[in-house]
Amino acid sequence: MDNSIYQFLFSIFAFILGAAVGSFLNVCIYRLPRELSVNEPRRSFCPACKKPIPWHQNLPLISWLVLRGRCGNCGSKIAFRYFAVELLTALLFLAIWQSFSWPMAIAYWIFVSFLIVGTFVDFEHFIIPDRVTIGGIIAGFAVSLAVPALMD
């Protein structure tokens, strides 16, 4: 296979990874300001009926479109923000991957993930949780040690 096929495949991977990470970021955006655990319950749930969302109704980007922004259980509206965060994260992961080497891209993916969570929580609640700011500081130090090229 030539290099352009690898570029294409890794671009698809970066986009899909970004959408999946965006799905988790939505969990953080919803739960952190409400002081809920991001890992309990393990499954995503409808904000209205609180029923767990089955995996086939929780596919990043696709499920929101197929279900027309509604809960598959109770039919209540699921905010456009969920789709927007997944798409924004996917596009940013793709753009970062196409612009930087792997170690740098991973570092920037971590950075942009913290920014997305902080930004969207702030938009809705006018706060940035300490877990985002302190977590971002710790991640920044760790990544700067792991990827010294960031300091150039």
Side-chain angles (χ1 to χ4, degrees), residues 80-103:
F80 177 72
R81 176 198 35 99
Y82 288 88
F83 180 81
V85 167
E86 290 171 358
L87 182 60
L88 175 65
T89 308
L91 292 172
L92 287 172
F93 271 43
L94 175 61
I96 289 167
W97 180 82
Q98 291 179 337
S99 303
F100 299 99
S101 66
W102 272 112

Side-chain angles (χ1 to χ4, degrees), residues 14 20 28 36 51 76 98 131 136:
C28 296
L36 300 172
K51 296 278 186 196
S76 66
Q98 291 179 337
R131 289 169 67 181

